[in-house]
Amino acid sequence: MVRRTFLFAVLFFAGTVLSAFASGFAYAHALPDGVTVSIQPVKNNLSADDKVLIKLTYTNHGAEEVRLLKWATGLEGRIDEDILSIWFEEQELEYRGRHFKRAAPTAQDYVVLSEGQYVSKTVDLQLSYEIELAGSYRINWRADLELAANEQTSRQVLAQKGTNLVLLDNIYLQPLSGITSQTPTYQNCSIDQAAEIRASVVVAESYARTARDSLSGAPLSKRPTARRYKEWFGNYDAGRWAIVQNHFNQIYSALATRTINFDCGCNLGYYAYVTKSDHYNITVCNAFWSASRTGTDSKAGTIIHELSHFTVVANTDDIEDSSGTYYGQSRSRLLAIIDPSSAIRHADGHEYFAENSPPLDMPNGADDPGNPDPGPEPEPVPVPEPVIPSFLAAIYALLFSEEKAR
């Protein structure tokens, strides 16, 4: 079964709503006088297929009958306005629910509560707020928090306070509907493994974006001297540069817009493997878990390496010859020297260019700083590729051979 979830510890605050008016301000989500709201989880322990459900209960403690507008309460079965203030660590989550243009409310849009009467509704929290990462969440009724902040102190400080907290352990959340960016799915992965993969995907996306931008942002006249490009892909050629740039466009797009499935069931001593036509499915193996998240031969770099293999991404290979596969930094550098046309198809070269460890410069800025619009540049004349005698290449390979099974 594919595990598509993260471990959550969610903290819910059962709040009491204050007056609807204070210091001349009216709060859109304030409730009628005498009405309070409580927020409670439906289940304390959720399985992988459960939704994140909370129960909203509105009680009339006043002596008079009140009319409660359903729109800003969740009583229609879904939270369709930003009525909750949800905090994860020190960040308030963004409301991502529906936004309506409504006509004037009619009698059917209200619920009537007599003295002592209450009404409850269960809603799916994930349909309206971006709850994704493992950790503790605090939930307040927004109007309550805004009113208190107006009278006392900052909303962030208030959001971190409070009692009456209910802790939910071992919650497994499904991916957010319609959200694919950096939202992997998992098979045969533990909670800790899934969390580490997710963090590594975030780094990989940053690596890919930086690599893409460094290629597209390099001025034409400075590309023949770009150290970082030359290190992994050889001497400059406009056609080869364009191919590599397109590869990183596709790698970044895959990380930013595609759901990638990770299988943690491999016990071999490799980093990871893929089938080129089985798009966006990556199997990670033992060496992946001992790698650092960043740097040379990292988890993030491995993800870029494997993504580049897919035919719909960059269709790279693990280039080899009679002396073996060009795995590792030293062998990848050698390939860039002796065969740039193969280097631009080499998966390890793409990984090392993205990781950039140790760091190498890429040119940036305008070709002519004194002219903000220099116009089209003539295509530079390619630098001739050096001819390396085969016996020297063989000696280099023996001296600097590295094995890194993928």
Side-chain angles (χ1 to χ4, degrees):
M1 177 180 177
V2 177
R3 177 167 291 171
R4 306 178 176 183
T5 57
F6 292 97
L7 175 64
F8 276 69
V10 183
L11 301 179
F12 287 93
F13 174 75
T16 300
V17 179
L18 304 179
S19 171
F21 295 91
S23 304
F25 289 91
Y27 295 89
H29 304 127
L31 298 174
D33 288 344
V35 176
T36 62
V37 58
S38 67
I39 306 168
Q40 298 292 338
V42 172
K43 291 175 62 177
N44 278 10
N45 293 282
L46 305 182
S47 69
D49 296 324
D50 286 329
K51 296 180 179 179
V52 185
L53 302 178
I54 61 170
K55 183 179 181 181
L56 298 168
T57 300
Y58 300 89
T59 304
N60 180 14
H61 297 280
E64 299 180 356
E65 181 180 272
V66 296
R67 293 200 312 160
L68 189 60
L69 185 61
K70 298 177 185 177
W71 295 349
T73 59
L75 291 177
E76 294 180 304
R78 178 167 172 161
I79 297 176
D80 280 326
E81 293 193 27
D82 190 13
I83 61 176
L84 300 177
S85 177
I86 305 178
W87 289 74
F88 174 71
E89 295 180 348
E90 296 183 357
Q91 296 293 323
E92 186 172 17
L93 302 189
E94 180 181 355
Y95 170 75
R96 67 174 186 86
R98 300 181 295 189
H99 295 267
F100 287 95
K101 178 181 179 181
R102 302 179 187 265
T106 65
Q108 287 73 30
D109 295 316
Y110 290 89
V111 60
V112 178
L113 294 178
S114 302
E115 178 185 357
Q117 192 175 11
Y118 68 89
V119 61
S120 298
K121 199 71 176 182
T122 297
V123 296
D124 185 347
L125 204 58
Q126 276 193 293
L127 296 178
S128 305
Y129 294 91
E130 294 195 40
I131 298 179
E132 294 183 277
L133 300 178
S136 296
Y137 291 77
R138 289 180 175 86
I139 301 181
N140 291 271
W141 180 257
R142 179 171 295 283
D144 193 353
L145 195 62
E146 290 177 349
L147 182 59
N150 184 66
E151 294 177 337
Q152 301 177 41
T153 184
S154 74
R155 293 176 61 248
Q156 181 172 352
V157 172
L158 288 168
Q160 303 306 315
K161 295 183 177 181
T163 54
N164 302 324
L165 298 175
V166 179
L167 178 64
L168 299 186
D169 292 321
N170 301 323
I171 297 181
Y172 298 86
L173 298 183
Q174 296 180 354
L176 296 175
S177 175
I179 301 295
T180 57
S181 176
Q182 300 182 5
T183 309
T185 57
Y186 309 97
Q187 187 173 358
N188 303 313
C189 299
S190 69
I191 295 299
D192 290 342
Q193 287 174 327
E196 182 59 25
I197 288 173
R198 176 58 188 270
S200 299
V201 167
V202 172
V203 176
E205 182 179 348
S206 176
Y207 275 174
R209 181 176 60 250
T210 301
R212 178 202 63 179
D213 293 346
S214 71
L215 289 161
S216 63
L220 289 174
S221 64
K222 298 179 182 178
R223 291 181 180 183
T225 59
R227 293 179 59 206
R228 184 173 168 188
Y229 175 90
K230 186 175 182 179
E231 186 85 354
W232 306 115
F233 302 117
N235 285 327
Y236 173 75
D237 173 83
R240 290 198 296 265
W241 183 291
I243 290 172
V244 174
Q245 183 173 324
N246 182 63
H247 285 176
F248 278 101
N249 289 343
Q250 297 302 317
I251 292 169
Y252 173 74
S253 177
L255 285 161
T257 66
R258 298 290 181 175
T259 298
I260 304 169
N261 180 67
F262 290 85
D263 187 341
C264 303
C266 173
N267 292 317
L268 301 174
Y270 308 140
Y271 280 75
Y273 67 86
V274 300
T275 300
K276 295 181 73 169
S277 60
D278 189 14
H279 301 140
Y280 309 118
N281 288 304
I282 299 175
T283 300
V284 293
C285 303
N286 289 344
F288 179 87
W289 303 115
S290 60
S292 61
R293 191 179 298 169
T294 62
T296 303
D297 295 331
S298 63
K299 292 186 179 77
T302 297
I303 292 170
I304 288 175
H305 175 117
E306 300 301 336
L307 276 176
S308 75
H309 280 316
F310 294 126
T311 56
V312 295
V313 179
N315 197 25
T316 63
D317 292 301
D318 298 315
I319 302 298
E320 60 182 17
D321 60 16
S322 58
S323 64
T325 305
Y326 285 87
Y327 282 139
Q329 285 197 344
S330 295
R331 292 272 288 167
S332 294
R333 290 189 184 100
L334 172 62
L335 182 64
I337 293 172
I338 65 176
D339 191 357
S341 294
S342 294
I344 65 171
R345 298 186 295 106
H346 186 45
D348 251 6
H350 287 71
E351 174 183 342
Y352 295 136
F353 182 87
E355 290 173 336
N356 197 27
S357 175
L360 294 172
D361 295 334
M362 282 287 284
N364 53 48
D367 286 284
D368 179 5
N371 182 2
D373 185 17
E377 288 283 340
E379 191 68 14
V381 178
V383 178
E385 298 172 12
V387 178
I388 307 296
S390 58
F391 75 92
L392 288 179
I395 293 173
Y396 190 98
L398 289 173
L399 290 175
F400 298 101
S401 177
E402 296 181 19
E403 293 296 331
K404 185 182 72 170
R406 287 286 185 192

